[in-house]
Amino acid sequence: MYTKKTYSAFHMAVWTRFETLLFIIIILGVVATYYFLDLAWLKIPWTPLALIGTAVAFVIGFQNNSAYGRIWEARKIWGGVVNTSRTFGMFVQDMVTNEKAENPLQNEELQKEIEVLTYRHIAWMTALRHAMRAQRSWETTAKHRTNQDWDARPPEHEFELTSDLEPYLSEGDLEDVLKKNNKQTAILYQQSHHLRQLKERGLIWEFAFLKLEGVLEELFTLQGKSERIKNFPYPRHFATLNHFFMWIFVLLLPFALVPQFGEIGRDIAEHHPLVGDLFIWLSVPFYIIVAWIFHTMERIGRTGENPFEGTANDVPISTISRGIEIDLRQNLGEENNTIPEQFPMRHNVQF
């Protein structure tokens, strides 16, 4: 998530520099052809091109709205993870007690059970964020050269899942989780089994057990929603047609724009021959502006399709997870120097 108010004009220019260079080559080639070969007869009427441009604007707008919807839904899901995680931490601390225990535990032992449950929840968030950062074949935004220029990668691409889980799970639990394909689901199963054992020992009474199981159910729901967005891309046929339509418009535009400037230039040439002769070259900056706007809007839509890919405009699930961990561990009474710090921002981007 980019945290400054706006991207600078320089950053936008750098981000689109390859496409801008291509547009310059296209328009210079067409203008030079018209100017030196006198091809005034080769032109496209504005009416069909305007219809194409209108259609392209509609499909790009639809794509951008859909992409924003996916980003906003993903953020709401992880907002739910935040709230449910805090609820779970509070319930565990107040519902795991000796009140109905047949064999009461020492305070240190009771606190250890609470700590195991809390740490396992942190492990669940860790496994989930790693799963959300796993690359899919349709996630190509981060591979674009202009995005790699930022040299900013999410923590999940720098650290292995195993090393990230080790601080939060016992050796046996970790070994069991690593055998499973869906590791975050396996952790919630372990959590449920542990709660059942505590209930059977009387450390959690029946009603509290049901409440805690309800929280796990909500975590499963949030996990499933997050996995749905991750594993179901913006429909490829829509994305493909948007891309093709945009390029058809961009490639046809010079053959309507350049002749129009040529006609204006011939009118001017009656009174100012030199200005009129060169006026056709003014179509170059106008074409670049129009083509850049249409292409950049289409590219922005593609950039927002996958909110968990790990680029500068995605949902900052790493930061969210670490923030929850800090909250939970502080409320366990741990010292701040034993709690990991928040992931640092790089290039004004939270991951």
Side-chain angles (χ1 to χ4, degrees):
M1 180 180 70
Y2 188 70
T3 58
K4 295 190 73 175
K5 183 178 180 180
T6 59
Y7 285 98
S8 68
F10 174 76
H11 283 146
M12 290 299 297
V14 170
W15 189 59
T16 57
R17 66 187 184 276
F18 296 115
E19 292 82 2
T20 303
L21 178 60
L22 179 59
F23 297 147
I24 293 173
I25 293 172
I26 291 172
I27 189 61
L28 287 178
V30 174
V31 173
T33 301
Y34 272 84
Y35 185 78
F36 293 109
L37 301 181
D38 193 22
L39 297 180
W41 56 269
L42 180 58
K43 60 182 179 180
I44 297 176
W46 274 105
T47 300
L49 191 65
L51 292 174
I52 294 174
T54 302
V56 172
F58 272 113
V59 296
I60 290 177
F62 176 79
Q63 179 187 28
N64 286 356
N65 285 338
S66 299
Y68 179 79
R70 287 170 64 85
I71 292 173
W72 186 240
E73 183 183 3
R75 183 60 187 89
K76 288 194 294 184
I77 291 168
W78 277 81
V81 171
V82 172
N83 296 336
T84 308
S85 297
R86 290 169 176 165
T87 300
F88 181 79
M90 178 185 68
F91 280 3
V92 165
Q93 290 195 32
D94 290 338
M95 291 180 175
V96 179
T97 68
N98 284 318
E99 183 179 356
K100 298 182 181 298
E102 295 181 1
N103 299 303
L105 300 179
Q106 297 292 327
N107 288 337
E108 294 78 8
E109 295 174 314
L110 199 62
Q111 185 63 26
K112 182 62 177 177
E113 297 289 351
I114 294 172
E115 182 180 298
V116 169
L117 290 167
T118 303
Y119 272 47
R120 189 181 289 118
H121 179 77
I122 297 171
W124 171 78
M125 290 189 300
T126 302
L128 182 59
R129 63 180 171 85
H130 270 272
M132 294 300 99
R133 297 298 196 200
Q135 293 296 296
R136 299 290 186 267
S137 59
W138 56 83
E139 293 180 338
T140 58
T141 301
K143 298 177 183 178
H144 196 284
R145 181 176 175 182
T146 53
N147 288 320
Q148 292 180 340
D149 288 343
W150 287 71
D151 191 27
R153 304 170 63 207
E156 294 78 18
H157 293 174
E158 298 181 358
F159 302 99
E160 293 292 334
L161 173 62
T162 302
S163 62
D164 276 353
L165 289 178
E166 283 177 349
Y168 309 113
L169 295 174
S170 66
E171 185 176 340
D173 284 352
L174 179 60
E175 182 179 355
D176 178 66
V177 165
L178 294 178
K179 293 177 182 177
K180 306 296 193 303
N181 292 333
N182 193 315
K183 295 170 177 56
Q184 56 272 22
T185 295
I187 292 173
L188 287 183
Y189 270 75
Q190 289 179 351
Q191 200 78 298
S192 180
H193 298 334
H194 189 182
L195 291 174
R196 186 195 63 197
Q197 293 169 3
L198 293 177
K199 189 238 337 165
E200 291 172 350
R201 294 163 59 189
L203 297 172
I204 298 177
W205 65 300
E206 293 283 349
F207 180 76
F209 173 72
L210 294 176
K211 290 289 289 184
L212 287 166
E213 286 289 297
V215 175
L216 294 187
E217 180 182 6
E218 177 62 19
L219 293 175
F220 266 123
T221 299
L222 294 168
Q223 174 186 317
K225 290 179 178 180
S226 188
E227 290 171 342
R228 169 171 51 80
I229 293 178
K230 176 68 177 181
N231 297 323
F232 186 81
Y234 179 76
R236 294 297 86 197
H237 55 294
F238 283 121
T240 301
L241 291 176
N242 292 347
H243 190 67
F244 287 165
F245 291 168
M246 182 274 300
W247 275 107
I248 289 173
F249 175 75
V250 166
L251 293 175
L252 290 179
L253 180 60
F255 298 100
L257 192 64
V258 174
Q260 185 72 37
F261 274 79
E263 292 178 8
I264 297 173
R266 284 191 290 273
D267 293 337
I268 296 175
E270 296 179 2
H271 304 285
H272 305 282
L274 180 61
V275 175
D277 184 55
L278 298 177
F279 191 83
I280 192 173
W281 293 94
L282 279 179
S283 61
V284 173
F286 282 90
Y287 169 79
I288 292 172
I289 291 170
V290 175
W292 183 87
I293 289 173
F294 272 83
H295 182 275
T296 302
M297 289 300 296
E298 190 268 342
R299 186 178 174 189
I300 287 172
R302 284 186 282 119
T303 301
E305 290 174 2
N306 306 302
F308 298 128
E309 186 175 353
T311 60
N313 301 294
D314 292 344
V315 178
I317 58 176
S318 307
T319 300
I320 292 172
S321 298
R322 180 55 58 84
I324 300 171
E325 176 182 354
I326 293 171
D327 282 350
L328 293 177
R329 294 180 65 173
Q330 284 180 341
N331 284 291
L332 278 177
E334 296 186 16
E335 298 293 334
N336 286 331
N337 58 8
T338 65
I339 301 173
E341 296 181 352
Q342 182 58 270
F343 292 116
M345 286 197 300
R346 284 170 286 182
H347 305 294
N348 301 302
V349 175
Q350 289 181 343
F351 289 100

